[in-house]
């Protein structure tokens, strides 16, 4: 009996694989390597000393996915696989809809065919659009501002419709806030393709001398220092939330939705300062115009996850900055 991790060689999937293996779960990973390297599988094995099967396959390849279900007794799925770059999704919407939505439909149809009825889905705080107030609770209105976000919202709806029509299914939807940091071993972490879009990887590239300076997108927001505020969460804390979600999934029917964040908001300048302090480095930055589509403030009310899953984040901003840099300086050439 195994837990299948789609996209399990990616940033969040690989950290979750480590936590699952360390908790004696049997896992299988499927990944098409579109945004990761196969070597990540070896790193996961090195960290945990445990073995597992990896299928290099695309969720759009129905035959390959069915074969994987035929060859293994898969009891639950944690579905990370998807394209995730907001800007790219505006330029290539069809690619995003096909990969994320058709890929999910093929996965769900295959699960149904093989009697696997339990799924955890990686959703995102992006489904809250521009929230009117913070902290954000799970029952806030949903909307999106880009095709990537829309794929997340549609998939949430598909899952809820599926579970409604089939009460023997169960589904946990996790809405991640801003995952950052890396495993403390420094062996796995976030490895962006090309120039990073997200703040923490960008700062790491500046620290590594791969980029000259950070552009701080706007200092005229209605926040404590004028820069954007987000809920950054250590990727290991986020991974542990998946263990709790799996436990819940095994003892429930229906759909449950949880925000996975720390409940703390930090500004861009807070992150720069924390990174400098944690790593004893200087980060050159310049104030630049606002980035289109950005919101001023976004942070979670994570009470529901604490009450119902027994999960809460424990790692600090300092841990996030230290572990991110530890990975970058060890692994990113
Ligand atoms: P990632 O790109 O590192 O990992 C996703 C993995 O899925 C990659 O290894 C990629 O090769 C694989 N993949 C993509 N399409 C596939 C397909 N059709 N078939 C098989 N494999 C495929 O991204 P991540 O940061 O680990 O994110 C994991 C999930 O969490 C994604 O669904 C993402 O949308 C969601 N999420 C991420 C963030 C974030 O900031 N990182 C925030 C909220 C939600
Ligand atoms: C954080 C803050 C920027 C880069 C994105 C997705 C979201 C989710 C997480 C997947 C903002 C500022 C950034 C830079 C900057 N992903 N910034 N200079 O936009 O909150 O969320 O990743 O689901 O859907 O939209 O994260 O890290 O890009 O930005 O000043 O070079 O840092 O303006 O205030 P964001 P981010």
């Amino acid at each position: 009996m195994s837990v299948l991790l789609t996209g399990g060689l990616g940033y969040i999937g690989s950290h979750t694989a480590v936590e699952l293996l360390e908790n004696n779960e049997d896992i299988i990973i499927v990944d098409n390597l579109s945004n990761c390297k196969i070597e990540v599988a070896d790193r996961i094995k090195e960290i945990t000393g445990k073995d597992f099967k990896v299928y290099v396959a695309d969720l759009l390849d129905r035959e390959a996915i069915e074969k994987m279900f035929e060859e293994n007794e898969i009891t639950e799925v944690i579905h990370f696989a998807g394209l995730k770059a907001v800007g790219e999704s505006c330029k290539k919407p069809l690619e995003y809809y096909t990969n994320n939505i058709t890929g999910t439909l093929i996965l769900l149809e295959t699960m149904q065919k093989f009697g696997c009825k339990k799924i955890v889905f990686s959703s995102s705080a992006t489904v809250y659009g521009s929230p009117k107030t913070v902290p954000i609770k799970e029952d806030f209105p949903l909307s999106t501002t880009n095709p990537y976000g829309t794929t997340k919202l549609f998939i949430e709806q598909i899952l809820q419709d599926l579970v409604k029509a089939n009460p023997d299914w169960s589904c946990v939807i996790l809405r991640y806030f801003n995952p950052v940091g890396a495993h403390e071993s420094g062996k796995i972490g976030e490895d962006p393709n090309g120039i990073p879009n997200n703040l923490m990887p960008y700062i790491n590239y500046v620290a590594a001398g791969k980029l000259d300076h950070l552009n701080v997108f706007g200092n005229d927001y209605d926040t404590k220092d004028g820069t954007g505020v987000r809920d950054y969460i250590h990727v290991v804390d986020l991974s542990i939330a998946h263990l709790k979600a799996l436990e819940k999934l095994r003892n429930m029917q229906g759909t449950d939705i949880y925000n996975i964040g720390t409940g703390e908001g930090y500004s861009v300048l807070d992150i720069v300062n924390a990174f400098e302090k944690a790593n004893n480095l200087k980060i050159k930055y310049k104030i630049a115009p606002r980035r289109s589509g950005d919101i001023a403030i976004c942070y979670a009310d994570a009470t529901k996850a604490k009450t119902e899953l027994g999960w809460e984040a424990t790692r600090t901003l300092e841990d996030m900055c230290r572990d991110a840099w530890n990975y970058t300086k060890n692994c990113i050439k």
Side-chain angles (χ1 to χ4, degrees):
M1 295 205 309
S2 307
V3 184
L4 173 67
L5 277 60
T6 73
L9 296 182
Y11 174 45
I12 302 167
S14 58
H15 288 82
T16 305
V18 167
E19 295 306 317
L20 289 167
L21 290 165
E22 286 181 342
N23 278 275
N24 300 315
E25 296 281 354
D26 283 325
I27 67 162
I28 295 168
I29 286 180
V30 60
D31 202 300
N32 67 359
L33 308 185
S34 61
N35 198 33
C36 64
K37 299 194 179 80
I38 189 69
E39 291 77 25
V40 172
D42 296 330
R43 301 289 95 78
I44 298 170
K45 289 174 190 174
E46 274 174 36
I47 294 170
T48 60
K50 298 203 174 150
D51 204 5
F52 54 88
K53 278 198 221 173
V54 178
Y55 286 80
V56 176
D58 198 304
L59 288 185
L60 297 172
D61 182 350
R62 188 186 294 269
E63 225 174 279
I65 302 306
E66 289 196 355
K67 188 159 181 283
M68 181 176 67
F69 273 81
E70 242 159 48
E71 290 175 356
N72 300 283
E73 198 189 332
I74 296 169
T75 41
E76 298 93 4
V77 175
I78 308 183
H79 181 30
F80 298 101
L83 297 173
K84 64 164 182 179
V86 170
E88 187 184 57
S89 80
C90 298
K91 294 191 188 110
K92 300 177 178 171
L94 295 183
E95 201 176 303
Y96 271 67
Y97 286 118
T98 303
N99 190 76
N100 292 5
I101 298 183
T102 310
T104 301
L105 289 173
I106 291 174
L107 172 70
L108 294 172
E109 283 165 358
T110 309
M111 288 173 67
Q112 195 154 45
K113 184 165 172 183
F114 287 85
C116 174
K117 298 169 182 171
K118 294 187 185 302
I119 184 164
V120 178
F121 174 59
S122 301
S123 189
S124 165
T126 191
V127 300
Y128 295 113
S130 304
K132 288 208 169 62
T133 58
V134 282
I136 300 169
K137 284 180 186 272
E138 288 82 352
D139 60 2
F140 273 27
L142 304 179
S143 67
T144 59
T145 52
N146 57 75
Y148 163 71
T150 310
T151 69
K152 292 292 171 195
L153 199 52
F154 283 175
I155 295 168
E156 286 199 4
Q157 188 63 53
I158 290 167
L159 288 167
Q160 292 180 70
D161 289 343
L162 173 68
V163 172
K164 207 162 156 195
N166 298 277
D168 53 343
W169 272 70
S170 35
C171 171
V172 174
I173 292 171
L174 300 179
R175 293 183 181 146
Y176 312 155
F177 279 66
N178 289 55
V180 295
H183 190 265
E184 61 175 12
S185 64
K187 290 179 192 288
I188 53 172
E190 190 170 13
D191 203 349
N193 266 335
I195 297 179
N197 295 307
N198 297 115
L199 179 63
M200 186 63 93
Y202 203 104
I203 291 178
N204 275 269
Y205 272 39
V206 173
K210 287 164 74 89
L211 293 168
D212 177 64
H213 67 275
L214 169 72
N215 289 305
V216 174
F217 297 142
N219 66 348
D220 55 353
Y221 286 108
D222 185 14
T223 61
K224 63 174 186 177
D225 60 19
T227 67
V229 167
R230 297 290 183 275
D231 186 335
Y232 297 92
I233 173 162
H234 196 296
V235 66
V236 173
D237 277 332
L238 172 59
S239 298
I240 293 168
H242 293 76
L243 294 188
K244 301 289 187 182
L246 199 56
E247 222 173 87
K248 180 91 202 299
L249 193 70
R250 288 173 173 155
N251 297 298
M252 65 173 267
Q253 283 179 339
T255 303
D256 276 329
I257 301 179
Y258 299 100
N259 284 340
I260 304 295
T262 63
E264 289 267 343
Y266 289 108
S267 73
V268 176
L269 295 180
D270 284 337
I271 302 298
V272 171
N273 293 333
F275 190 90
E276 290 185 337
K277 194 160 165 236
N279 299 309
N280 201 18
L281 283 163
K282 268 298 195 214
I283 299 299
K284 191 166 142 195
Y285 71 84
K286 293 182 184 166
I287 303 299
R290 290 182 179 194
R291 181 172 67 178
S292 125
D294 270 354
I295 55 176
I297 307 187
C298 172
Y299 60 90
D301 180 331
T303 317
K304 191 175 173 210
K306 184 176 178 186
T307 318
E308 295 185 17
L309 297 180
W311 172 88
E312 73 183 311
T314 59
R315 289 163 180 78
T316 63
L317 185 56
E318 187 186 348
D319 298 331
M320 302 180 210
C321 293
R322 188 198 54 235
D323 293 341
W325 176 236
N326 184 37
Y327 173 71
T328 302
K329 70 176 193 287
N330 283 341
C331 295
I332 297 191
K333 300 293 166 227

